[in-house]
Amino acid sequence: MDFNKSQQLFKEAVELIPGGVNSPVRAFKAVGDFPVFIDKGEGSKLYDVDGNEYIDYICSWGPLLLGHQPETITKAVQEALLKGSTYGAPTALEVEIAKMIVDAVPSIEMVRMVNSGTEATMSAIRLARGYTKRNKLIKFEGCYHGHADYLLIKAGSGALTFGVPSSPGVPESIASETLTASYNDLDSVKRLFTQYPDQIAAVIVEPIAGNMGLVPPAEGFLQGLREITKEYGALLIFDEVISGFRASYGGAQKVFNIMPDLTCLGKIIGGGLPVGAYGGRKEIMEQVAPVGPVYQAGTLSGNPLAMAAGIAMLKELGKPGVYETVETKAKTLAKGLQEAADKAGVKVAINQSASLLTVFFTEDVVCSYTAAMGSDTAKFKVFFQSMLNQGIYLPPSQFECWFVSLAHSDEDIQKTIAAAKNAFAAVATM
Ligand SMILES: *Cc1c(COP(=O)(O)O)cnc(C)c1O
């Protein structure tokens, strides 16, 4: 494969944009030097500026559960655009998507649209603090909830990949309000509540952790969080920016049958356009302006193009059999990858849940942040490069999920497994 044009663009980009990228996770710093620059996406495939074709397992980091350019979404956005791109006034589309979200997600009675997942978590936390009149917050090590100051403490995703889980620029006074616990470890949460019984406004958690690689919740973990938060009068916030409309049409809360107080959404509900949302019980949501005193606003919130795309996406996902189909694809892939690794004699732990999976280069079972951190990133780098050169586009970090979409064909999955055989063989000879 030849990457001349990407390399040239990267040279220009690093002079103009920090690291040449508008979000750190796009950099190939952890796995090579320059990222490939994308020209277009179609179905399960990406095409870079040099004309190379890839099977895409990033899918824009989650939004594209239908793959690239699904016809229904493209059409919906085109139609919306012909009526104007934004009005700064309410539209019928906003009512329609709100109704779809309220109908789908068990704990959401009322919802506010925003422009990104970061905005959703930030706003949900302000609301939780306003509602409880408390300041402290518990988050879990390795979970990522966007880049608000008080959430960039032991954060996952790019923050983890590039070794800045707790960012400079976050004042100590703000960082000190964030307490960190260990994922899948209820005792670590109980200890914090015992220490600060009436100061904790909320516990925020990814009900299926996807930003330290995929780490599903242990049996009883989410239930335990529900009970502890209730006992101490704190709110439970599910950050379902990845798991919403992915774990199931009602998100992870539907799968695990847990009712959080507030839920954050993003990614999938925008159908590939910039979006976020937060919602919950009416009594809490009615604290938000203009009904209540907790302020939150957005010039482009509820943008008609994003709403049209989101509605078209949710309509597709509401059809019978969608989630079973995509999970079967992910299961087949996970099984094939495990067999390929075994054959090559490479020790891996593969976590898979719904249409998400991560191949961890470790001998341990990965059910915690510590176990995920035990992965051999040098091995991942070799694996990643081999896969890329065989036309398989993976997240350029050990600590991210692969995203399988409905557009991935059986042939795509088999091609990926075949490529992985070579990639594991390359790892075995390190
Ligand atoms: C991606 C992500 C966010 C942040 O969403 P942005 O749209 O990137 O701001 C928040 N929480 C989780 C769990 C995410 O995966």
Side-chain angles (χ1 to χ4, degrees):
M1 269 186 183
D2 152 0
F3 302 106
N4 294 334
K5 285 185 181 156
S6 280
Q7 193 164 16
Q8 190 52 44
L9 275 171
F10 185 65
K11 252 194 202 152
E12 282 179 56
V14 287
E15 298 300 326
L16 301 165
I17 307 167
V21 290
N22 279 315
S23 189
V25 296
R26 297 175 198 170
F28 276 25
K29 225 173 125 185
V31 289
D33 42 15
F34 61 92
V36 293
F37 281 66
I38 303 303
D39 178 42
K40 65 171 180 178
E42 235 173 57
S44 63
K45 308 281 176 17
L46 276 180
Y47 300 86
D48 72 14
V49 288
D50 288 289
N52 300 311
E53 180 186 290
Y54 307 91
I55 301 173
D56 179 18
Y57 287 101
I58 297 184
C59 288
S60 194
W61 302 91
L64 306 184
L65 187 48
L66 301 177
H68 297 271
Q69 290 193 58
E71 214 180 292
T72 50
I73 294 184
T74 305
K75 248 175 78 190
V77 174
Q78 282 169 339
E79 275 168 26
L81 181 57
L82 292 176
K83 296 168 86 177
S85 61
T86 175
Y87 321 115
T91 63
L93 294 170
E94 292 166 83
V95 181
E96 188 176 353
I97 200 165
K99 187 163 184 342
M100 292 175 99
I101 292 171
V102 166
D103 285 346
V105 185
S107 71
I108 298 186
E109 295 175 358
M110 208 175 233
V111 64
R112 170 62 65 81
M113 303 303 299
V114 292
N115 301 292
S116 68
T118 293
E119 254 190 89
T121 54
M122 215 171 76
S123 311
I125 282 160
R126 181 180 307 133
L127 176 56
R129 286 173 161 162
Y131 178 80
T132 59
K133 304 191 168 54
R134 298 172 175 186
N135 285 337
K136 290 202 189 300
L137 174 72
I138 295 182
K139 81 172 281 291
F140 293 92
E141 205 174 4
C143 280
Y144 179 70
H145 305 291
H147 63 84
D149 283 347
Y150 42 85
L151 290 168
L152 272 187
I153 316 289
K154 299 193 176 174
S157 189
L160 196 60
T161 306
F162 304 116
V164 284
S166 307
S167 173
V170 177
E172 175 51 35
S173 58
I174 288 175
S176 65
E177 301 290 11
T178 302
L179 310 167
T180 48
S182 305
Y183 197 80
N184 280 337
D185 176 359
L186 283 175
D187 286 336
S188 71
V189 181
K190 283 180 194 157
R191 278 197 295 275
L192 292 172
F193 272 106
T194 314
Q195 203 176 345
Y196 305 99
D198 31 78
Q199 294 181 53
I200 297 166
V203 173
I204 185 165
V205 66
E206 290 179 69
I208 297 171
N211 284 295
M212 47 181 147
L214 176 69
V215 179
E219 180 88 44
F221 176 60
L222 298 173
Q223 181 64 37
L225 292 181
R226 180 63 286 184
E227 286 160 13
I228 301 166
T229 45
K230 226 175 211 153
E231 186 186 336
Y232 286 92
L235 298 189
L236 178 61
I237 305 175
F238 272 11
D239 179 352
E240 298 225 42
V241 171
I242 288 182
S243 61
F245 292 93
R246 179 174 290 274
S248 79
Y249 191 73
Q253 58 193 268
K254 180 124 189 189
V255 175
F256 298 106
N257 197 23
I258 308 285
M259 294 282 267
D261 300 294
L262 290 172
T263 300
C264 303
L265 298 169
K267 298 191 171 131
I268 285 178
I269 60 161
L273 273 81
V275 102
Y278 65 104
R281 285 205 309 282
K282 237 181 203 159
E283 161 226 356
I284 305 173
M285 289 304 290
E286 285 190 334
Q287 293 297 310
V288 177
V291 207
V294 177
Y295 200 71
Q296 181 270 311
T299 301
L300 291 176
S301 291
N303 173 266
L305 305 187
M307 297 305 98
I311 291 164
M313 172 67 105
L314 300 193
K315 277 186 183 155
E316 286 304 306
L317 298 182
K319 292 179 178 168
V322 162
Y323 287 92
E324 291 79 355
T325 305
V326 71
E327 175 152 15
T328 302
K329 293 176 194 292
K331 275 206 158 83
T332 308
L333 177 57
K335 186 165 168 277
L337 290 168
Q338 185 69 61
E339 284 166 5
D342 291 347
K343 234 187 195 146
V346 176
K347 293 273 189 284
V348 294
I350 301 181
N351 285 354
Q352 175 263 323
S353 175
S355 45
L356 302 168
L357 68 91
T358 297
V359 179
F360 291 99
F361 286 84
T362 174
E363 300 188 16
D364 297 329
V365 176
V366 179
C367 55
S368 69
Y369 171 80
T370 315
M373 288 308 101
S375 302
D376 187 332
T377 52
K379 285 184 180 165
F380 176 79
K381 186 172 172 176
V382 169
F383 182 77
F384 173 89
Q385 284 295 351
S386 168
M387 292 297 267
L388 187 74
N389 281 296
Q390 296 178 81
I392 314 291
Y393 187 74
L394 302 178
S397 164
Q398 168 70 94
F399 309 112
E400 300 282 2
C401 291
W402 303 20
F403 296 88
V404 179
S405 80
L406 278 153
H408 287 90
S409 66
D410 294 343
E411 195 197 342
D412 289 333
I413 304 284
Q414 291 313 321
K415 266 192 183 161
T416 308
I417 295 168
K421 282 183 186 155
N422 299 326
F424 284 125
V427 171
T429 60
M430 277 172 77

